[in-house]
Amino acid sequence: MTQDEFSLIRQWTSRSSGQHGDGLSVGIGDDAAVFSLSPGMEVVACCDAMVETVHFLRETMNPSDIGYKAVMSNISDVAAMGGLPRFALISVAVSPGWSADDCQQIYEGIYDACEAYGVRVIGGDTVSSPAALTLSVTLLGEVEKGRALRRSAARPGQLVFVTGQVGGSAAGLDLLLRSAKKGEAVAEEWRPLAWFHQRPQAQVAAGRILAASPWAGALNDVSDGLASELSEIAEASGVRLVIDERSIPVANITRAYAIETDQDPLGWALYGGEDYQLVGTLEAAEVKEAELRFAEKGIPFTVIGRVEAGEPSVWMDREQGRMKIAKAGYNHFGGAEAGKG
Amino acid sequence: MTQDEFSLIRQWTSRSSGQHGDGLSVGIGDDAAVFSLSPGMEVVACCDAMVETVHFLRETMNPSDIGYKAVMSNISDVAAMGGLPRFALISVAVSPGWSADDCQQIYEGIYDACEAYGVRVIGGDTVSSPAALTLSVTLLGEVEKGRALRRSAARPGQLVFVTGQVGGSAAGLDLLLRSAKKGEAVAEEWRPLAWFHQRPQAQVAAGRILAASPWAGALNDVSDGLASELSEIAEASGVRLVIDERSIPVANITRAYAIETDQDPLGWALYGGEDYQLVGTLEAAEVKEAELRFAEKGIPFTVIGRVEAGEPSVWMDREQGRMKIAKAGYNHFGGAEAGKG
């Protein structure tokens, strides 16, 4: 990039987001940003990097989608702690294949995601790179002291739940890859699937309900697929999780697209990821209270299983019997492993 | 990188740093880290990226130096706000040219820098990249509420000071490039210069003295050379800075190397950068007090000029007269621009 292009970037990054009165004492333009926490809160901090060809392809993501999703995956991590996202620091390493206009769109996507969640960009770095656009986002949020929701808090007797619907992002990726291969635009009827993949929404409101409740257990966000997220909870908590295949919430359009393309929507739900829903556990006696709290906020909430004492592992009850769910790898999922329980 | 190599990285990143009782509630291993601030403190947050071939060369930096310096440049930004560095989040995008052993050394450098300053690594991401190793570091620190030192606080009548000595890092880079070109090891007598370049030390203790004092003005760290840092203070504060060439502290070894190689050590001081010293302003009436406070901590402290009312700009008094200092660009520095004042 030229110096002129860097000046343009400075202009785009002057777009403001976040709320006034959010405790920011020093914003962009000094050596570092400075902000205050609200009384009684702790800092929640996470960092994720996205690399061209490794985490995204230009064929399936517009530049603005790339910026949006790099931020959203981090907001989702804050949501998975029960936190409120507040500030972002963003480094972008731009390689020669990306024009100034592409970069502007990346920043527009970054600010779209931040504005939608009241997050203010308070720092970062835009640098050149010889190859492969790389975005690294740090998200800072806050949570009431001692209330952060951890993966290790699942206890036998609790129920397993998930918010929203899962598998849609993986279906959308499949759709986008097929369309790109044919050199065609995505068919109108399947557009929502592309949206699930390109513009997922982190479940901050759900996380906040859970952080405020006395009945919440473990929590994780669905970034790598239900199988991986549930395994992390099982391992961190030292428990066995048993889920019911029929209760996993998959959208009708995702099921219809699976039928149309002769694929298994359950595979997308378990191993697809990037749905950015929340999956966790809660006290069984309080499930009606939980349903009410989520209904009040219009957040779909589904009980999909239960927590049992036992070797850390994840199992799924199906019509054919109980099967063990491998942590990752779509090819591990099939008849051969079914019926072990 | 293979899955095995990623497992190794998880092992290296389990090395702990930072202090016990530092307020960390949730560390590495969940969706995000969670920590508390000490009472009365604000968060200081900054983020810098370093890209292979753009910000560093394998010829002049060992893998451990690369990790060390990526962290140190961010600790220096926290120091330049008067803050105490506490936590780091580190993303590393590893390209095929870097072996597992190289990566281990990069992490060792990262932890060396963190341990030296009591910083704890609380998160990050290690990913593959098709080309060009990229490190992105976010450093989080804290500072007493309302005490962060800004670039905009220089006022006419104050003095301009710098800690330590400057120009040594640029001299070291010159030495390392010449040695690499000849395919030779760095000569024993010049080894300290290589050290200045590869293992600079951020001036956290100096920043803390200033944050605690009622006489501190503006502050910046010397990452891009004195000319650039002073220009930023002049512009942010709306003042003219006038420095005295003879008072700029340059180490004897840097001067000796300049004579040996027929170069200008002043150019390194003004336009070299990466010395990570602090440059700032303070109340003239309190300069004796300042000298005492820095002497007590064994920190070299030099008054190099003064703040005047006037168009934001930086000037330097030399034997030949007063000259205006361009913000950046070594080639702007020479006889042609001298004597404008």
Side-chain angles (χ1 to χ4, degrees), chain A residues 92-116:
Chain A
V92 186
V94 184
S95 52
W98 298 78
S99 69
D101 187 56
D102 291 334
C103 290
Q104 179 167 11
Q105 288 182 49
I106 290 169
Y107 278 101
E108 280 174 5
I110 286 169
Y111 279 85
D112 285 349
C114 287
E115 280 176 8

PDB file of all heavy atoms in Angstrom, chain A residues 92-116:
ATOM      1  N   VAL A  92      -4.653  -4.947  11.198  1.00  0.00           N
ATOM      2  CA  VAL A  92      -4.877  -5.480   9.856  1.00  0.00           C
ATOM      3  C   VAL A  92      -3.549  -5.449   9.102  1.00  0.00           C
ATOM      4  O   VAL A  92      -2.928  -4.394   8.998  1.00  0.00           O
ATOM      5  CB  VAL A  92      -5.924  -4.637   9.087  1.00  0.00           C
ATOM      6  CG1 VAL A  92      -6.240  -5.288   7.750  1.00  0.00           C
ATOM      7  CG2 VAL A  92      -7.198  -4.454   9.905  1.00  0.00           C
ATOM      8  N   ALA A  93      -3.114  -6.616   8.631  1.00  0.00           N
ATOM      9  CA  ALA A  93      -1.923  -6.689   7.778  1.00  0.00           C
ATOM     10  C   ALA A  93      -2.433  -6.910   6.353  1.00  0.00           C
ATOM     11  O   ALA A  93      -3.034  -7.936   6.052  1.00  0.00           O
ATOM     12  CB  ALA A  93      -1.007  -7.831   8.223  1.00  0.00           C
ATOM     13  N   VAL A  94      -2.218  -5.902   5.495  1.00  0.00           N
ATOM     14  CA  VAL A  94      -2.820  -5.880   4.155  1.00  0.00           C
ATOM     15  C   VAL A  94      -1.798  -6.332   3.120  1.00  0.00           C
ATOM     16  O   VAL A  94      -0.709  -5.771   3.034  1.00  0.00           O
ATOM     17  CB  VAL A  94      -3.288  -4.451   3.805  1.00  0.00           C
ATOM     18  CG1 VAL A  94      -3.996  -4.448   2.453  1.00  0.00           C
ATOM     19  CG2 VAL A  94      -4.204  -3.899   4.888  1.00  0.00           C
ATOM     20  N   SER A  95      -2.166  -7.329   2.326  1.00  0.00           N
ATOM     21  CA  SER A  95      -1.262  -7.834   1.295  1.00  0.00           C
ATOM     22  C   SER A  95      -1.593  -7.188  -0.062  1.00  0.00           C
ATOM     23  O   SER A  95      -2.646  -6.564  -0.215  1.00  0.00           O
ATOM     24  CB  SER A  95      -1.357  -9.362   1.242  1.00  0.00           C
ATOM     25  OG  SER A  95      -2.703  -9.752   1.113  1.00  0.00           O
ATOM     26  N   PRO A  96      -0.683  -7.315  -1.027  1.00  0.00           N
ATOM     27  CA  PRO A  96      -0.819  -6.560  -2.280  1.00  0.00           C
ATOM     28  C   PRO A  96      -2.126  -6.801  -3.053  1.00  0.00           C
ATOM     29  O   PRO A  96      -2.595  -5.918  -3.758  1.00  0.00           O
ATOM     30  CB  PRO A  96       0.388  -7.021  -3.106  1.00  0.00           C
ATOM     31  CG  PRO A  96       1.393  -7.454  -2.094  1.00  0.00           C
ATOM     32  CD  PRO A  96       0.598  -8.048  -0.980  1.00  0.00           C
ATOM     33  N   GLY A  97      -2.740  -7.979  -2.936  1.00  0.00           N
ATOM     34  CA  GLY A  97      -3.952  -8.255  -3.701  1.00  0.00           C
ATOM     35  C   GLY A  97      -5.184  -7.451  -3.278  1.00  0.00           C
ATOM     36  O   GLY A  97      -6.227  -7.558  -3.926  1.00  0.00           O
ATOM     37  N   TRP A  98      -5.076  -6.680  -2.221  1.00  0.00           N
ATOM     38  CA  TRP A  98      -6.248  -5.972  -1.703  1.00  0.00           C
ATOM     39  C   TRP A  98      -6.127  -4.487  -2.013  1.00  0.00           C
ATOM     40  O   TRP A  98      -5.161  -3.842  -1.631  1.00  0.00           O
ATOM     41  CB  TRP A  98      -6.366  -6.209  -0.192  1.00  0.00           C
ATOM     42  CG  TRP A  98      -6.561  -7.661   0.127  1.00  0.00           C
ATOM     43  CD1 TRP A  98      -5.596  -8.632   0.135  1.00  0.00           C
ATOM     44  CD2 TRP A  98      -7.796  -8.328   0.416  1.00  0.00           C
ATOM     45  NE1 TRP A  98      -6.149  -9.856   0.420  1.00  0.00           N
ATOM     46  CE2 TRP A  98      -7.496  -9.703   0.604  1.00  0.00           C
ATOM     47  CE3 TRP A  98      -9.119  -7.898   0.562  1.00  0.00           C
ATOM     48  CZ2 TRP A  98      -8.477 -10.643   0.914  1.00  0.00           C
ATOM     49  CZ3 TRP A  98     -10.084  -8.830   0.871  1.00  0.00           C
ATOM     50  CH2 TRP A  98      -9.768 -10.185   1.047  1.00  0.00           C
ATOM     51  N   SER A  99      -7.149  -3.949  -2.693  1.00  0.00           N
ATOM     52  CA  SER A  99      -7.124  -2.545  -3.094  1.00  0.00           C
ATOM     53  C   SER A  99      -7.537  -1.650  -1.935  1.00  0.00           C
ATOM     54  O   SER A  99      -8.043  -2.120  -0.906  1.00  0.00           O
ATOM     55  CB  SER A  99      -8.095  -2.330  -4.252  1.00  0.00           C
ATOM     56  OG  SER A  99      -9.424  -2.487  -3.769  1.00  0.00           O
ATOM     57  N   ALA A 100      -7.360  -0.356  -2.126  1.00  0.00           N
ATOM     58  CA  ALA A 100      -7.794   0.616  -1.112  1.00  0.00           C
ATOM     59  C   ALA A 100      -9.298   0.483  -0.884  1.00  0.00           C
ATOM     60  O   ALA A 100      -9.776   0.581   0.255  1.00  0.00           O
ATOM     61  CB  ALA A 100      -7.435   2.030  -1.560  1.00  0.00           C
ATOM     62  N   ASP A 101     -10.042   0.245  -1.961  1.00  0.00           N
ATOM     63  CA  ASP A 101     -11.499   0.096  -1.828  1.00  0.00           C
ATOM     64  C   ASP A 101     -11.839  -1.164  -1.012  1.00  0.00           C
ATOM     65  O   ASP A 101     -12.737  -1.132  -0.159  1.00  0.00           O
ATOM     66  CB  ASP A 101     -12.123   0.016  -3.223  1.00  0.00           C
ATOM     67  CG  ASP A 101     -13.643   0.024  -3.150  1.00  0.00           C
ATOM     68  OD1 ASP A 101     -14.196   0.972  -2.555  1.00  0.00           O
ATOM     69  OD2 ASP A 101     -14.265  -0.930  -3.659  1.00  0.00           O
ATOM     70  N   ASP A 102     -11.121  -2.261  -1.257  1.00  0.00           N
ATOM     71  CA  ASP A 102     -11.318  -3.473  -0.451  1.00  0.00           C
ATOM     72  C   ASP A 102     -11.098  -3.166   1.033  1.00  0.00           C
ATOM     73  O   ASP A 102     -11.860  -3.596   1.895  1.00  0.00           O
ATOM     74  CB  ASP A 102     -10.307  -4.570  -0.849  1.00  0.00           C
ATOM     75  CG  ASP A 102     -10.552  -5.138  -2.238  1.00  0.00           C
ATOM     76  OD1 ASP A 102     -11.706  -5.091  -2.712  1.00  0.00           O
ATOM     77  OD2 ASP A 102      -9.577  -5.612  -2.854  1.00  0.00           O
ATOM     78  N   CYS A 103     -10.005  -2.436   1.303  1.00  0.00           N
ATOM     79  CA  CYS A 103      -9.661  -2.124   2.696  1.00  0.00           C
ATOM     80  C   CYS A 103     -10.748  -1.280   3.342  1.00  0.00           C
ATOM     81  O   CYS A 103     -11.122  -1.502   4.487  1.00  0.00           O
ATOM     82  CB  CYS A 103      -8.328  -1.398   2.777  1.00  0.00           C
ATOM     83  SG  CYS A 103      -6.951  -2.471   2.366  1.00  0.00           S
ATOM     84  N   GLN A 104     -11.264  -0.310   2.572  1.00  0.00           N
ATOM     85  CA  GLN A 104     -12.341   0.516   3.127  1.00  0.00           C
ATOM     86  C   GLN A 104     -13.527  -0.369   3.507  1.00  0.00           C
ATOM     87  O   GLN A 104     -14.129  -0.201   4.570  1.00  0.00           O
ATOM     88  CB  GLN A 104     -12.770   1.573   2.113  1.00  0.00           C
ATOM     89  CG  GLN A 104     -13.912   2.422   2.655  1.00  0.00           C
ATOM     90  CD  GLN A 104     -14.185   3.674   1.858  1.00  0.00           C
ATOM     91  OE1 GLN A 104     -13.653   3.838   0.750  1.00  0.00           O
ATOM     92  NE2 GLN A 104     -14.989   4.561   2.410  1.00  0.00           N
ATOM     93  N   GLN A 105     -13.839  -1.336   2.640  1.00  0.00           N
ATOM     94  CA  GLN A 105     -14.969  -2.225   2.933  1.00  0.00           C
ATOM     95  C   GLN A 105     -14.690  -3.115   4.154  1.00  0.00           C
ATOM     96  O   GLN A 105     -15.595  -3.383   4.945  1.00  0.00           O
ATOM     97  CB  GLN A 105     -15.293  -3.082   1.710  1.00  0.00           C
ATOM     98  CG  GLN A 105     -15.945  -2.272   0.600  1.00  0.00           C
ATOM     99  CD  GLN A 105     -16.296  -3.154  -0.588  1.00  0.00           C
ATOM    100  OE1 GLN A 105     -16.901  -4.218  -0.422  1.00  0.00           O
ATOM    101  NE2 GLN A 105     -15.888  -2.741  -1.763  1.00  0.00           N
ATOM    102  N   ILE A 106     -13.454  -3.570   4.294  1.00  0.00           N
ATOM    103  CA  ILE A 106     -13.105  -4.351   5.498  1.00  0.00           C
ATOM    104  C   ILE A 106     -13.389  -3.523   6.744  1.00  0.00           C
ATOM    105  O   ILE A 106     -14.026  -3.986   7.693  1.00  0.00           O
ATOM    106  CB  ILE A 106     -11.618  -4.788   5.457  1.00  0.00           C
ATOM    107  CG1 ILE A 106     -11.415  -5.850   4.372  1.00  0.00           C
ATOM    108  CG2 ILE A 106     -11.169  -5.324   6.823  1.00  0.00           C
ATOM    109  CD1 ILE A 106      -9.958  -6.151   4.066  1.00  0.00           C
ATOM    110  N   TYR A 107     -12.926  -2.269   6.729  1.00  0.00           N
ATOM    111  CA  TYR A 107     -13.165  -1.404   7.897  1.00  0.00           C
ATOM    112  C   TYR A 107     -14.649  -1.127   8.092  1.00  0.00           C
ATOM    113  O   TYR A 107     -15.126  -1.043   9.227  1.00  0.00           O
ATOM    114  CB  TYR A 107     -12.369  -0.100   7.794  1.00  0.00           C
ATOM    115  CG  TYR A 107     -10.941  -0.292   8.240  1.00  0.00           C
ATOM    116  CD1 TYR A 107      -9.913  -0.438   7.319  1.00  0.00           C
ATOM    117  CD2 TYR A 107     -10.630  -0.389   9.591  1.00  0.00           C
ATOM    118  CE1 TYR A 107      -8.603  -0.661   7.730  1.00  0.00           C
ATOM    119  CE2 TYR A 107      -9.327  -0.607  10.015  1.00  0.00           C
ATOM    120  CZ  TYR A 107      -8.320  -0.738   9.073  1.00  0.00           C
ATOM    121  OH  TYR A 107      -7.040  -0.962   9.488  1.00  0.00           O
ATOM    122  N   GLU A 108     -15.400  -1.017   6.988  1.00  0.00           N
ATOM    123  CA  GLU A 108     -16.846  -0.808   7.134  1.00  0.00           C
ATOM    124  C   GLU A 108     -17.490  -2.001   7.836  1.00  0.00           C
ATOM    125  O   GLU A 108     -18.352  -1.837   8.700  1.00  0.00           O
ATOM    126  CB  GLU A 108     -17.502  -0.531   5.777  1.00  0.00           C
ATOM    127  CG  GLU A 108     -17.293   0.929   5.371  1.00  0.00           C
ATOM    128  CD  GLU A 108     -17.782   1.254   3.963  1.00  0.00           C
ATOM    129  OE1 GLU A 108     -18.375   0.372   3.303  1.00  0.00           O
ATOM    130  OE2 GLU A 108     -17.546   2.393   3.525  1.00  0.00           O
ATOM    131  N   GLY A 109     -17.048  -3.209   7.467  1.00  0.00           N
ATOM    132  CA  GLY A 109     -17.563  -4.401   8.140  1.00  0.00           C
ATOM    133  C   GLY A 109     -17.182  -4.433   9.618  1.00  0.00           C
ATOM    134  O   GLY A 109     -17.996  -4.793  10.478  1.00  0.00           O
ATOM    135  N   ILE A 110     -15.952  -4.023   9.898  1.00  0.00           N
ATOM    136  CA  ILE A 110     -15.488  -3.956  11.294  1.00  0.00           C
ATOM    137  C   ILE A 110     -16.390  -3.012  12.089  1.00  0.00           C
ATOM    138  O   ILE A 110     -16.873  -3.350  13.182  1.00  0.00           O
ATOM    139  CB  ILE A 110     -14.008  -3.473  11.342  1.00  0.00           C
ATOM    140  CG1 ILE A 110     -13.075  -4.595  10.869  1.00  0.00           C
ATOM    141  CG2 ILE A 110     -13.628  -2.973  12.732  1.00  0.00           C
ATOM    142  CD1 ILE A 110     -11.633  -4.167  10.609  1.00  0.00           C
ATOM    143  N   TYR A 111     -16.645  -1.836  11.532  1.00  0.00           N
ATOM    144  CA  TYR A 111     -17.467  -0.851  12.251  1.00  0.00           C
ATOM    145  C   TYR A 111     -18.939  -1.252  12.300  1.00  0.00           C
ATOM    146  O   TYR A 111     -19.622  -0.956  13.277  1.00  0.00           O
ATOM    147  CB  TYR A 111     -17.260   0.554  11.670  1.00  0.00           C
ATOM    148  CG  TYR A 111     -16.005   1.204  12.194  1.00  0.00           C
ATOM    149  CD1 TYR A 111     -14.778   0.967  11.596  1.00  0.00           C
ATOM    150  CD2 TYR A 111     -16.035   2.001  13.338  1.00  0.00           C
ATOM    151  CE1 TYR A 111     -13.613   1.531  12.102  1.00  0.00           C
ATOM    152  CE2 TYR A 111     -14.880   2.568  13.853  1.00  0.00           C
ATOM    153  CZ  TYR A 111     -13.665   2.337  13.232  1.00  0.00           C
ATOM    154  OH  TYR A 111     -12.516   2.884  13.743  1.00  0.00           O
ATOM    155  N   ASP A 112     -19.421  -1.942  11.261  1.00  0.00           N
ATOM    156  CA  ASP A 112     -20.803  -2.459  11.307  1.00  0.00           C
ATOM    157  C   ASP A 112     -20.981  -3.363  12.529  1.00  0.00           C
ATOM    158  O   ASP A 112     -21.948  -3.247  13.275  1.00  0.00           O
ATOM    159  CB  ASP A 112     -21.135  -3.298  10.056  1.00  0.00           C
ATOM    160  CG  ASP A 112     -21.357  -2.444   8.820  1.00  0.00           C
ATOM    161  OD1 ASP A 112     -21.471  -1.204   8.955  1.00  0.00           O
ATOM    162  OD2 ASP A 112     -21.393  -3.021   7.716  1.00  0.00           O
ATOM    163  N   ALA A 113     -20.044  -4.295  12.685  1.00  0.00           N
ATOM    164  CA  ALA A 113     -20.136  -5.246  13.801  1.00  0.00           C
ATOM    165  C   ALA A 113     -20.021  -4.510  15.130  1.00  0.00           C
ATOM    166  O   ALA A 113     -20.769  -4.785  16.072  1.00  0.00           O
ATOM    167  CB  ALA A 113     -19.044  -6.309  13.677  1.00  0.00           C
ATOM    168  N   CYS A 114     -19.086  -3.578  15.212  1.00  0.00           N
ATOM    169  CA  CYS A 114     -18.887  -2.837  16.469  1.00  0.00           C
ATOM    170  C   CYS A 114     -20.128  -2.015  16.815  1.00  0.00           C
ATOM    171  O   CYS A 114     -20.591  -2.031  17.958  1.00  0.00           O
ATOM    172  CB  CYS A 114     -17.664  -1.933  16.360  1.00  0.00           C
ATOM    173  SG  CYS A 114     -16.105  -2.849  16.414  1.00  0.00           S
ATOM    174  N   GLU A 115     -20.672  -1.312  15.835  1.00  0.00           N
ATOM    175  CA  GLU A 115     -21.837  -0.460  16.109  1.00  0.00           C
ATOM    176  C   GLU A 115     -23.034  -1.285  16.554  1.00  0.00           C
ATOM    177  O   GLU A 115     -23.790  -0.880  17.438  1.00  0.00           O
ATOM    178  CB  GLU A 115     -22.208   0.360  14.865  1.00  0.00           C
ATOM    179  CG  GLU A 115     -21.306   1.566  14.710  1.00  0.00           C
ATOM    180  CD  GLU A 115     -21.583   2.356  13.432  1.00  0.00           C
ATOM    181  OE1 GLU A 115     -22.571   2.057  12.726  1.00  0.00           O
ATOM    182  OE2 GLU A 115     -20.787   3.272  13.155  1.00  0.00           O
ATOM    183  N   ALA A 116     -23.204  -2.454  15.938  1.00  0.00           N
ATOM    184  CA  ALA A 116     -24.360  -3.279  16.271  1.00  0.00           C
ATOM    185  C   ALA A 116     -24.318  -3.747  17.727  1.00  0.00           C
ATOM    186  O   ALA A 116     -25.358  -4.060  18.317  1.00  0.00           O
ATOM    187  CB  ALA A 116     -24.418  -4.486  15.337  1.00  0.00           C
TER     188      ALA A 116
END
